[in-house]
Amino acid sequence: MTPDRRAVLAGLAALPLATAARADAPTQGRLVEHPAMASAHIQPRDVTVWLPPGYDASDARWPVLYMHDGQNLFDASRAPYGAEWGVDEHVARLAVTGQIRTPVVVGIGNTPLRLREYIPANLIAALPDDMRADVQAIYGGEPLSDGYLRFLVEELKPFIDATYRTRPGRDDTVIMGSSMGGLISMYALMKHPEVFGAAGCVSTHWPIRIEQLTDPAALAAWRDRLTEAWTGVVRADLPPPGTHRLYFDRGDESLDAFYAEFQTRIDATVRAAGWTPDRFRSLVFPGAEHNEASWNQRLDAPLTFLLPPV
């Protein structure tokens, strides 16, 4: 049994009964709030750190899972749409059964500039000139993602490693998000492969143009040009195979129904670069929609792939 799993078991055994807690609030582990964390690169934002059961009862060091859209991770009462990922429950359960390396989870709150902070700047730069302004308009302006990643790498991660007992190395540093959070997770792995050892991209939001959905031919032509540009970036910027882990998934209902062709071509690009199933996975969940409830239901899949036990 690994040290962090022993600590988890001890911590779970010591937990009091949650008699006064809200039913949707975390009942395992402990949340630490860092409100309005300042940055030299982006707007301030709330950061919530979840310490797993056993953290306080041991001197063990822990991997770290950084997750975007931090409002949606632990407590439905904080989530804008009234549903949460249930990250704490999933991690605690998988840890007890030895299916993952137990992480500290860092939830990074989003802001009104979320779309611009999460759209990868290199993907926008790769677009043909006549498409760039069109695509930027979908996200509300020029990308702010490089500044967001500087916050993660230069400010947030050093703070987390100095404040908590972490394993700071690349292989113990994972990043994950859904929708646009999937895109920025992929970008983090491509731009900072020395920092992030694995990325989870859940229901990744490849661009669509709502006004073109009634004109399939126009949409297909637009999507083909964009996909060609973006697969070129992925081909050029992904780390070499065998060194990192990359996870994609999608449903086939609601917004996810529009991602199939784009995701299939990205998958083919990654596999053609030599990424094998032990390091790259792309799953489809029939009937799953583009929302927190669906991501909660399948969260075990990315967690067990990205944080396998040693």
Side-chain angles (χ1 to χ4, degrees):
M1 184 183 297
T2 60
D4 59 339
R5 190 182 172 202
R6 282 197 296 267
V8 170
L9 287 168
L12 284 172
L15 284 173
L17 292 176
T19 56
R22 292 190 304 268
D24 57 359
T27 57
Q28 301 183 64
R30 176 166 67 92
L31 290 181
V32 182
E33 305 289 351
H34 298 281
M37 185 171 285
S39 170
H41 308 295
I42 54 172
Q43 289 184 349
R45 69 209 50 232
D46 296 340
V47 172
T48 301
V49 177
W50 180 76
L51 302 175
Y55 179 90
D56 295 313
S58 78
D59 58 1
R61 291 190 170 272
W62 309 73
V64 182
L65 170 60
Y66 291 89
M67 296 188 69
H68 315 288
D69 295 315
Q71 296 95 324
N72 302 329
L73 303 179
F74 308 111
D75 186 345
S77 69
R78 302 183 185 187
Y81 303 109
E84 50 143 327
W85 287 57
V87 174
D88 48 316
E89 292 91 350
H90 282 273
V91 170
R93 174 175 45 78
L94 292 171
V96 168
T97 56
Q99 297 180 68
I100 62 169
R101 301 194 316 281
T102 312
V104 167
V105 182
V106 179
I108 309 152
N110 61 42
T111 74
L113 293 173
R114 175 181 181 272
L115 296 182
R116 295 176 64 191
E117 290 177 343
Y118 288 5
I119 181 65
N122 66 347
L123 298 184
I124 295 297
L127 292 172
D129 291 343
D130 65 315
M131 292 187 70
R132 191 171 301 115
D134 190 25
V135 174
Q136 281 185 174
I138 295 173
Y139 300 106
E142 294 183 357
L144 303 174
S145 49
D146 285 345
Y148 179 70
L149 291 187
R150 289 191 68 181
F151 164 66
L152 297 188
V153 170
E154 299 175 15
E155 298 172 331
L156 180 59
K157 186 178 187 300
F159 171 81
I160 295 297
D161 291 337
T163 305
Y164 301 98
R165 294 193 313 277
T166 68
R167 296 181 180 273
R170 182 194 73 185
D171 292 343
D172 288 306
T173 305
V174 179
I175 191 162
M176 181 163 67
S178 63
S179 192
M180 291 295 295
L183 277 180
I184 192 63
S185 297
M186 180 185 72
Y187 190 39
L189 189 73
M190 294 194 299
K191 194 169 181 66
H192 294 286
E194 78 288 358
V195 174
F196 300 105
C201 312
V202 177
S203 286
T204 303
H205 183 64
W206 307 110
I208 61 173
R209 293 182 62 177
I210 300 299
E211 72 274 12
Q212 287 188 342
L213 296 184
T214 56
D215 185 349
L219 175 60
W222 183 88
R223 184 175 54 203
D224 188 68
R225 295 181 69 207
L226 189 144
T227 308
E228 184 65 26
W230 283 20
T231 52
V233 172
V234 171
R235 187 180 304 111
D237 291 353
L238 270 182
T243 59
H244 294 69
R245 289 177 179 269
L246 178 60
Y247 172 95
F248 285 107
D249 74 22
R250 62 178 176 85
D252 60 4
E253 299 290 339
S254 66
L255 203 57
D256 279 28
F258 299 108
Y259 300 152
E261 182 175 341
F262 209 136
Q263 187 66 62
T264 298
R265 291 177 64 176
I266 293 292
D267 293 348
T269 299
V270 177
R271 292 188 180 107
W275 286 61
T276 51
D278 61 322
R279 292 285 178 166
F280 173 63
R281 186 164 297 172
S282 185
L283 303 178
V284 180
F285 291 86
E289 299 182 350
H290 192 88
N291 55 39
E292 283 74 19
S294 290
W295 303 327
N296 184 320
Q297 289 175 1
R298 65 180 191 260
L299 184 56
D300 284 9
L303 288 175
T304 53
F305 182 73
L306 298 170
L307 288 157
V310 176

